[in-house]
Amino acid sequence: DGGITQSPKYLFRKEGQNVTLSCEQNLNHDAMYWYRQDPGQGLRLIYYSQIVNDFQKGDIAEGYSVSREKKESFPLTVTSAQKNPTAFYLCASSISAADNSPLHFGNGTRLTVT
Amino acid sequence: GNSVTQMEGPVTLSEEAFLTINCTYTATGYPSLFWYVQYPGEGLQLLLKATKADDKGSNKGFEATYRKETTSFHLEKGSVQVSDSAVYFCALSDQTGANNLFFGTGTRLTVIP
């Protein structure tokens, strides 16, 4: 079955450490996205990529970095510069970055930093 | 700017009750509107969408009509089931060509038998 796989489901890190969240898709989608979900708030866009080797900052990119070396993969690194990294992170993809192309979401990674 | 406002939850209904979750939006231009659903422990799934004024999106018994005059996209279902318990997000897509979605804060629905 095609889909988006995020791993791990739960991740724990100490403050000051960088951590990388994995996102893989086998849907042959061009566009991929990272969102952050906090309690009582909607999803906020961190980064998105319209095509391999290209990515753009979203609304809350500070303290995060991404790469898009392969079409299938869009890993997100939460750096020590991110002031409040504990959150639920959702990866998504779409056929293209054009409007109305529906997003397909992974099941998320819950990151806890102490 | 673009924004979405949803009714605050949580909403608790008995099985077979009528559901309405209000959603209003602010946008420049003519956005597309979406409802996404998030079941416990999962990511979001597209429930329905509407791309222009007066369009009605529908899926799994849920409906929402794009009302430009009231800038609204309220979600309705005539008879909810326990399996509908989830968090529902209203969202809009602006016309920047980057498929950037603006989400509401989500409304948690619990349906009790």
Side-chain angles (χ1 to χ4, degrees):
Chain A
D1 286 340
I4 298 181
T5 301
Q6 289 187 243
S7 60
K9 191 175 176 73
Y10 299 96
L11 193 53
F12 298 88
R13 280 292 182 272
K14 294 289 189 188
E15 199 172 312
Q17 293 179 334
N18 291 354
V19 59
T20 297
L21 282 60
S22 168
C23 178
E24 303 278 331
Q25 55 101 356
N26 59 4
L27 298 166
N28 200 33
H29 286 173
D30 281 329
M32 296 186 75
Y33 312 80
W34 275 105
Y35 286 88
R36 171 182 171 137
Q37 184 178 17
D38 293 285
Q41 298 192 40
L43 279 67
R44 292 181 289 168
L45 182 66
I46 304 172
Y47 268 98
Y48 66 97
S49 167
Q50 300 187 54
I51 200 164
V52 175
N53 292 323
D54 176 74
F55 49 83
Q56 308 293 330
K57 291 182 179 180
D59 301 320
I60 55 165
E62 187 175 347
Y64 299 97
S65 66
V66 293
S67 62
R68 186 87 188 277
E69 296 176 3
K70 298 187 299 182
K71 189 174 186 178
E72 302 80 20
S73 179
F74 191 41
L76 173 75
T77 296
V78 184
T79 75
S80 56
Q82 167 51 232
K83 296 279 189 291
N84 187 19
T86 294
F88 189 54
Y89 291 88
L90 285 163
C91 179
S93 70
S94 63
I95 292 173
S96 74
D99 289 335
N100 309 324
S101 177
L103 268 62
H104 296 255
F105 283 85
N107 285 339
T109 292
R110 186 168 298 282
L111 173 64
T112 302
V113 176
T114 58
Chain B
N2 296 314
S3 68
V4 174
T5 303
Q6 281 182 245
M7 67 183 283
E8 291 194 19
V11 174
T12 303
L13 294 174
S14 298
E15 208 165 18
E16 299 184 3
F18 184 85
L19 168 71
T20 300
I21 300 178
N22 289 340
C23 171
T24 57
Y25 67 89
T26 302
T28 53
Y30 303 95
S32 295
L33 300 173
F34 306 82
W35 277 100
Y36 280 82
V37 58
Q38 184 178 32
Y39 297 103
E42 298 183 10
L44 279 68
Q45 302 173 26
L46 178 65
L47 181 58
L48 53 85
K49 69 176 186 180
T51 58
K52 61 182 188 298
D54 299 326
D55 268 3
K56 178 187 281 188
S58 61
N59 185 26
K60 299 181 181 179
F62 291 89
E63 292 183 341
T65 301
Y66 188 162
R67 301 282 188 206
K68 188 166 180 293
E69 63 277 12
T70 53
T71 61
S72 65
F73 193 54
H74 304 323
L75 182 69
E76 296 182 337
K77 186 174 185 183
S79 176
V80 293
Q81 305 300 312
V82 172
S83 57
D84 294 327
S85 298
V87 181
Y88 293 82
F89 291 90
C90 186
L92 71 83
S93 175
D94 66 13
Q95 301 300 308
T96 62
N99 206 18
N100 188 7
L101 285 175
F102 295 84
F103 285 88
T105 54
T107 302
R108 181 176 298 279
L109 169 67
T110 302
V111 181
I112 54 178

